[in-house]
Amino acid sequence: MKSFKILMFLCAVFTMTSAQEAKYMEKTVIIRVKETFRNACQDEAINDPRLADVFQTLQVTEVKKKFRNARNPGTQKSKDGHPLVDLSLIYELKYASDADLQKAISMLTETKMFVYAEPHYIPEIKYSPNDPGAIRSIQYYLTNIKAYEAWDVNKGDTNMVVGITDTGTDLTHPELFSSIKKNYLDPIDGIDNDQDGYTDNFYGWDLGENDNNPTWAALAHGVHVSGLSSAVVDNATGMAGSGFRCKYLPVKISNASGSLTAAYESIVYAADHGCKVINCSWGSTGGGQFGQDIIDYAVFNKDALVISAAGNDNRLINFFPASYKHILNVAATDSLDRKAAFSNYACTVDLSAPGAAIYSTWPGGYLYSNGTSMAAPIVAGAAAIARTQFPSYTALQILEQLKVTTDSIYQNNSLYIGYLGTGRLNMFKSLTVTGKPGIDLEDHQESNNGTNIFASGDTVKVKVFLKNYLAPSQNLTLTLRTGSPYASVIDSIYTMGSLSTFELDSTSADPFEVIVLPNAPTNGLVRFTLLISDGSYAVSYCFDITVNVDYINLRVNDIATTITSRGKIGFNNDNQNNGLGFVYNDEADLLYESGLMIGSSSTKVSDAVRGEIQGVSDRDFRSLQNVRELIPAEVSEFDLLGIMNDDSAGISKLNLRVTQTSHAWSTPGNTKYIVVRYTLKNPSTLPAVNVYAGIFSDWDIQNSAQNRANYDGSNKMGYCYYSGAAPYYAAVKVLSNTPALCYSIDNVSGGQGGVDLSDGFNTAEKFTSLSTMRVSAGQGGNGTDVIQVVSSGPFTILPGDSVSVAFAMIAGESLNDIQSSAVNAQQMYNQAFPIGIREYQRQNELMYPNPLIAGAQLWIRSERAGPVIIRISDMSGKVVYECFREASNEYERHALDPGSLGAGVYHVSVDQAGLLKSARVVVLP
């Protein structure tokens, strides 16, 4: 009865597993220190003053090496020519502060000491148990994969070990105990006899609970997986593992509650303890560079083949670790060689194996289960025998040998062509068929005119890089195809000729060419298939590129940032991983979040920044024309243009159309800023009144918890800076001839008397930050986390009229530095957008500003050389102002001073030798 209850619990858990957002450990970060800072690294400390403030702010409770026994491998390369991986500088950091994980990662990244900082992802196991009483054909899968024929050729060897990284094994099961690879160098006596750092690891190790007992605890998934590769054969009991004589090493990765807290670490343990095949029947949609480092370490440093399950969500997705490079990714089939109903599928799948209704070991007996979790260890056992058959082959050669000897199953899977790898595993052929090439697609690179942003009409050059791991190939031909309606391959064939064993070659000399078609949608995915053939050997790979992306990276001067089509600046999403941020001088990333805000009241704000739900931005702007480069540039060295409206703001929308331009220069004095300019047009029949427009910037400079914010009124500039030594500065300046405001926010609980963002950023708070002044923040102690909103307004935009607001985003190393750039930016803007010339030439407006504040200057545009008569009449028709000017140039500006005009609506006419233009102007009190 106890076993039955456990079984039913597992059914409830695992059948609900899906490819939702990746799970990760709270307040835990994986970091890899740059080689430059090796001398600062100890087993449980990184002693560098750059980290002291960050660690204090985050309240770091623990920082320790992930792999204490790891050593720097130097510059050695593997037999395949790949660089070896250094695990000795990888740490796990835990902290106690309330900082959200992405903010903590951002703070660590800002120190520039780390190759990467990323979450500690928690994978999930990938199987779905069935009722053990179901009547099915026992172990049909051994017949499908030709295991019996393979065992007549080679039954493996007890010195060949499969690492089963999972939830633990059953040391008492008669099918499993005898197959464990015992560590006779470290018997259970309380002493670490082999001095590997693990005392009494005779039967393997429990990394999840850090003890020497790898027996399953909360979840018995690992018991089932262990039997599929390693159950004893020829014992007249139960079942047979595909690996026959090969042994297995159990490495438990789950903690006491069953959470897979030590998944990637287990790969290192297995590789370090002699496993030449490592099985991973677990994974998630979260994948970072840490996981790739671990795979590469096992494959290249330790020559271990890593095998992983593709996942059970019946989706076309990348699943990790299976979708990393240099790993064998296994999808699942049923008894009829059809894709199993639950199995994921992808371009990254290498081959398939039976995973439906799979019979294997279970505590107290046996069990039928479904899952790619089952398919992977079947392949692992086959790989172990193949390594015995071909002892000189490297891990990647065995991977290719398994791939090139599969049986094609696409006749039963027409909907999944290219997504189930080369076919279904055939163990017999993997041991007996030799002489075939094993050519892998190592990489692909796409480029166009330098931006690598592929828009409609662009010609994209595609380079592919191939490496042959097995027999030499002759007369090799590559063909690139796509079935996408969004692109067309115009140069599709490349003749490579020969490719010898371990040779790497590419199409760099004559790349494939692809045209992006006019109908390509925003962020359209184009899937390519690369066919590789030499007449007797053929293999295909698929890969994707994204076209018409809705952002462009701007890298003209000392500022590198990302301009998007929906109002965000720096990043295109909420996770700070889709964009450049705001990087100064290639070394300091100063920004956490930035974007456009437009508002007219406490209930009417449209924006692209954080909202009331923590970690989720408002997405009020809808792209009408994705941001694109203007070629040739009209204003600066790199001009960008995009158009959007605020239709996605719902009841909060102002009903405005926004034309966004961005500009950058690299001339002396102009390298430390970029310009963003927004033209707000009112397409409605009602005036838009009390309108403010501004840029929200959450600056995180060096240590964000020690930032200060202030305002420079003479330059109309809000700025933030790090309060410690050698500070960086970041600023936003109003460039347009419009009023400037700056609201500085203390981004701490309570807000220090200002708006409080700790519980979200609501519409009323957003309008407050747009429309009022709060010049400073972070003034106490060493500062705090600060945010600024630099804005301009209020404006009244009449129906059909528009107003332009422009900002310079600046970085520097002192207040004088950014002030100097502010002055230069203003001069450059005035030259590029002189009022009455480019302002009106672009907007087709007759006068500026409109509305006009009483007593201010009014600028009038002329459209040809010659005499100009300018008249202003009130609504009764009475002329209240008249002047005569001589225009020497087309689009010349004329500064008028109609100071006596009171508040009201007036009619302005411009007469140039019979060319009569007129418009209304509103004068505000």
Side-chain angles (χ1 to χ4, degrees):
M1 183 61 69
K2 181 179 180 181
S3 296
F4 177 74
K5 288 181 179 178
I6 293 173
L7 171 64
M8 296 306 293
F9 169 75
L10 288 170
C11 284
V13 172
F14 298 120
T15 54
M16 293 188 292
T17 299
S18 63
Q20 298 174 352
E21 185 174 347
K23 297 180 180 179
Y24 50 82
M25 289 187 184
E26 296 292 334
K27 301 185 179 183
T28 303
V29 184
I30 300 294
I31 52 179
R32 178 176 169 185
V33 182
K34 293 179 179 178
E35 176 64 33
T36 307
F37 304 106
R38 178 178 292 277
N39 290 338
C41 296
Q42 300 177 10
D43 284 351
E44 297 188 3
I46 307 174
N47 296 315
D48 190 281
R50 274 161 287 212
L51 290 176
D53 290 341
V54 175
F55 279 15
Q56 182 179 3
T57 300
L58 290 177
Q59 299 171 34
V60 171
T61 58
E62 182 180 274
V63 56
K64 64 180 181 181
K65 283 191 174 183
K66 291 293 291 179
F67 311 104
R68 291 197 178 190
N69 295 330
R71 297 292 180 266
N72 182 0
T75 58
Q76 297 173 319
K77 292 188 176 183
S78 69
K79 181 180 177 181
D80 299 345
H82 292 87
L84 302 182
V85 177
D86 181 10
L87 301 183
S88 65
L89 296 178
I90 296 177
Y91 286 77
E92 183 169 85
L93 177 149
K94 296 181 181 296
Y95 65 92
S97 79
D98 292 333
D100 67 74
L101 187 61
Q102 196 58 51
K103 192 81 168 182
I105 288 173
S106 178
M107 293 172 65
L108 291 164
T109 302
E110 287 163 13
T111 67
K112 302 301 176 184
M113 287 188 61
F114 305 114
V115 178
Y116 53 76
E118 60 191 42
H120 183 144
Y121 291 108
I122 302 177
E124 297 173 342
I125 56 182
K126 296 283 110 183
Y127 89 132
S128 303
N130 286 333
D131 185 345
I135 304 300
R136 302 182 187 274
S137 300
I138 302 294
Q139 288 196 277
Y140 75 87
Y141 50 90
L142 295 178
T143 300
N144 283 30
I145 67 174
K146 303 296 187 292
Y148 303 109
E149 294 88 338
W151 293 336
D152 286 337
V153 177
N154 192 316
K155 293 182 175 63
D157 188 276
T158 57
N159 290 316
M160 183 59 62
V161 183
V162 177
I164 300 295
T165 65
D166 218 289
T167 64
T169 192
D170 184 351
L171 295 178
T172 66
H173 202 293
E175 296 273 26
L176 299 177
F177 178 79
S178 298
S179 287
I180 295 174
K181 185 66 174 180
K182 281 80 172 181
N183 180 13
Y184 293 103
L185 296 178
D186 196 1
I188 299 176
D189 59 3
I191 301 171
D192 183 8
N193 296 280
D194 57 1
Q195 298 183 0
D196 66 347
Y198 301 92
T199 301
D200 296 351
N201 53 338
F202 182 70
Y203 293 114
W205 195 257
D206 180 353
L207 287 172
E209 299 182 69
N210 195 31
D211 60 47
N212 71 332
N213 184 4
T215 298
W216 73 279
L219 304 172
H221 178 270
V223 179
H224 200 272
V225 169
S226 299
L228 290 170
S229 67
S230 309
V232 175
V233 185
D234 283 345
N235 64 344
T237 302
M239 62 167 297
S242 60
F244 211 101
R245 290 178 182 152
C246 299
K247 298 292 187 177
Y248 82 103
L249 181 68
V251 188
K252 182 171 172 286
I253 65 177
S254 54
N255 62 17
S257 63
S259 182
L260 310 188
T261 57
Y264 286 97
E265 297 88 331
S266 69
I267 298 174
V268 174
Y269 181 92
D272 285 347
H273 288 82
C275 298
K276 290 302 179 184
V277 178
I278 301 173
N279 184 78
C280 305
S281 289
W282 44 265
S284 75
T285 55
Q289 184 56 43
F290 171 67
Q292 186 65 68
D293 278 352
I294 297 304
I295 302 303
D296 289 348
Y297 172 81
V299 174
F300 301 129
N301 293 48
K302 297 297 183 177
D303 191 32
L305 173 59
V306 186
I307 297 171
S308 184
N312 295 352
D313 309 288
N314 189 28
R315 291 177 58 192
L316 177 61
I317 57 173
N318 284 330
F319 194 78
F320 298 94
S323 291
Y324 282 126
K325 294 180 179 179
H326 314 131
I327 194 171
L328 184 59
N329 185 347
V330 181
T333 54
D334 63 16
S335 61
L336 299 178
D337 280 342
R338 298 171 302 196
K339 185 190 83 69
F342 52 80
S343 179
N344 288 342
Y345 49 100
C347 289
T348 55
V349 169
D350 292 298
L351 55 79
S352 300
I358 302 298
Y359 186 80
S360 185
T361 48
W362 193 253
Y366 303 88
L367 175 74
Y368 285 99
S369 296
N370 296 316
T372 54
S373 277
M374 286 60 259
I378 292 172
V379 176
I385 293 181
R387 296 216 73 165
T388 305
Q389 180 75 0
F390 304 105
S392 66
Y393 278 18
T394 66
L396 291 184
Q397 285 182 297
I398 294 296
L399 187 155
E400 290 298 326
Q401 178 67 15
L402 293 171
K403 283 171 55 179
V404 302
T405 55
T406 57
D407 290 334
S408 176
I409 56 172
Y410 285 117
Q411 63 274 16
N412 298 331
N413 296 282
S414 59
L415 296 179
Y416 305 102
I417 292 176
Y419 300 138
L420 300 176
T422 58
R424 192 250 308 121
L425 172 70
N426 185 316
M427 283 183 63
F428 177 70
K429 287 167 63 175
S430 74
L431 304 181
T432 58
V433 176
T434 58
K436 285 189 174 186
I439 299 174
D440 184 50
L441 175 61
E442 293 281 295
D443 196 10
H444 58 91
Q445 297 175 0
E446 294 77 41
S447 62
N448 55 2
N449 58 5
T451 64
N452 290 349
I453 301 296
F454 312 126
S456 294
D458 282 357
T459 298
V460 182
K461 295 185 181 297
V462 180
K463 301 176 185 178
V464 297
F465 297 79
L466 306 180
K467 190 165 187 174
N468 184 10
Y469 286 92
L470 297 176
S473 175
Q474 303 294 327
N475 304 316
L476 197 60
T477 299
L478 315 182
T479 305
L480 188 68
R481 297 176 180 171
T482 182
S484 171
Y486 311 137
S488 176
V489 182
I490 59 175
D491 184 3
S492 62
I493 298 177
Y494 182 88
T495 302
M496 184 167 284
S498 62
L499 197 64
S500 59
T501 306
F502 290 141
E503 183 180 1
L504 176 69
D505 202 355
S506 75
T507 62
S508 296
D510 183 19
F512 298 110
E513 291 189 353
V514 176
I515 294 289
V516 182
L517 299 179
N519 63 329
T522 298
N523 298 321
L525 197 68
V526 177
R527 179 149 290 144
F528 293 96
T529 300
L530 179 68
L531 305 176
I532 304 171
S533 175
D534 65 4
S536 60
Y537 163 82
V539 68
S540 66
Y541 294 95
C542 56
F543 58 90
D544 302 328
I545 67 171
T546 303
V547 300
N548 275 353
V549 294
D550 54 357
Y551 65 93
I552 289 182
N553 294 332
L554 195 158
R555 298 175 181 268
V556 171
N557 52 34
D558 294 341
I559 304 297
T561 192
T562 298
I563 304 298
T564 77
S565 299
R566 292 180 174 84
K568 293 185 77 68
I569 299 172
F571 299 101
N572 199 39
N573 60 13
D574 294 338
N575 298 322
Q576 288 73 40
N577 59 7
N578 191 202
L580 301 178
F582 194 83
V583 179
Y584 170 61
N585 209 24
D586 287 331
E587 61 183 30
D589 189 356
L590 308 178
L591 183 68
Y592 183 75
E593 180 188 7
S594 184
L596 174 65
M597 297 171 58
I598 307 172
S600 62
S601 73
S602 60
T603 61
K604 297 283 186 182
V605 176
S606 299
D607 67 273
V609 300
R610 67 190 64 180
E612 294 189 60
I613 300 175
Q614 291 285 359
V616 180
S617 292
D618 289 343
R619 300 178 180 180
D620 296 339
F621 297 113
R622 181 171 69 88
S623 174
L624 302 178
Q625 176 182 302
N626 283 345
V627 62
R628 61 183 177 87
E629 183 182 3
L630 293 176
I631 300 176
E634 298 179 4
V635 175
S636 68
E637 296 171 39
F638 192 75
D639 292 348
L640 301 178
L641 170 68
I643 302 174
M644 55 192 166
N645 63 25
D646 66 342
D647 282 359
S648 298
I651 61 174
S652 296
K653 78 173 184 176
L654 284 75
N655 195 27
L656 295 175
R657 177 186 173 102
V658 182
T659 299
Q660 168 188 269
T661 61
S662 309
H663 313 279
W665 296 262
S666 65
T667 52
N670 301 299
T671 63
K672 298 183 179 183
Y673 65 86
I674 65 161
V675 170
V676 286
R677 182 171 179 267
Y678 303 99
T679 299
L680 315 180
K681 186 176 181 64
N682 179 9
S684 73
T685 58
L686 298 174
V689 298
N690 200 41
V691 176
Y692 294 83
I695 292 180
F696 168 101
S697 300
D698 183 351
W699 298 111
D700 281 0
I701 305 175
Q702 290 158 282
N703 180 0
S704 61
Q706 295 185 15
N707 285 183
R708 291 192 171 116
N710 221 317
Y711 180 64
D712 176 358
S714 62
N715 282 302
K716 298 171 34 176
M717 178 176 70
Y719 64 93
C720 301
Y721 62 99
Y722 172 55
S723 66
Y728 286 112
Y729 281 67
V732 176
K733 167 185 166 49
V734 176
L735 290 168
S736 47
N737 186 25
T738 55
L741 299 97
C742 176
Y743 194 94
S744 300
I745 300 170
D746 290 279
N747 191 24
V748 295
S749 181
Q752 294 293 329
V755 297
D756 180 6
L757 271 62
S758 63
D759 58 352
F761 198 17
N762 63 40
T763 302
E765 291 170 329
K766 288 179 179 180
F767 186 69
T768 295
S769 67
L770 276 170
S771 59
T772 57
M773 291 287 287
R774 187 174 190 258
V775 297
S776 63
Q779 299 305 304
N782 292 323
T784 190
D785 190 6
V786 299
I787 294 172
Q788 271 193 332
V789 178
V790 176
S791 61
S792 186
F795 307 110
T796 296
I797 311 176
L798 296 178
D801 282 350
S802 59
V803 63
S804 292
V805 184
F807 305 90
M809 299 186 71
I810 307 169
E813 297 168 43
S814 67
L815 180 57
N816 287 338
D817 194 12
I818 61 171
Q819 287 174 331
S820 177
S821 288
V823 171
N824 293 340
Q826 189 67 66
Q827 292 175 349
M828 187 64 79
Y829 180 80
N830 292 344
Q831 294 172 21
F833 294 95
I835 298 172
I837 301 180
R838 194 177 296 276
E839 289 278 353
Y840 299 118
Q841 181 180 358
R842 286 173 170 271
Q843 300 173 37
N844 196 29
E845 295 175 352
L846 184 66
M847 66 198 75
Y848 181 89
N850 189 6
L852 173 73
I853 297 175
Q857 284 188 329
L858 179 67
W859 295 85
I860 303 294
R861 183 189 70 179
S862 59
E863 294 195 359
R864 59 173 63 170
V868 183
I869 300 174
I870 301 169
R871 296 184 179 91
I872 301 178
S873 306
D874 63 20
M875 295 308 291
S876 70
K878 179 183 177 181
V879 176
V880 296
Y881 180 89
E882 184 176 24
C883 72
F884 174 85
R885 295 291 172 88
E886 185 72 29
S888 58
N889 295 299
E890 188 176 65
Y891 299 118
E892 186 161 351
R893 61 181 179 173
H894 304 279
L896 308 183
D897 190 11
S900 61
L901 295 183
V905 180
Y906 296 86
H907 183 86
V908 178
S909 68
V910 180
D911 186 350
Q912 283 192 280
L915 177 63
L916 185 64
K917 295 272 187 163
S918 64
R920 288 183 302 169
V921 63
V922 177
V923 178
L924 301 176

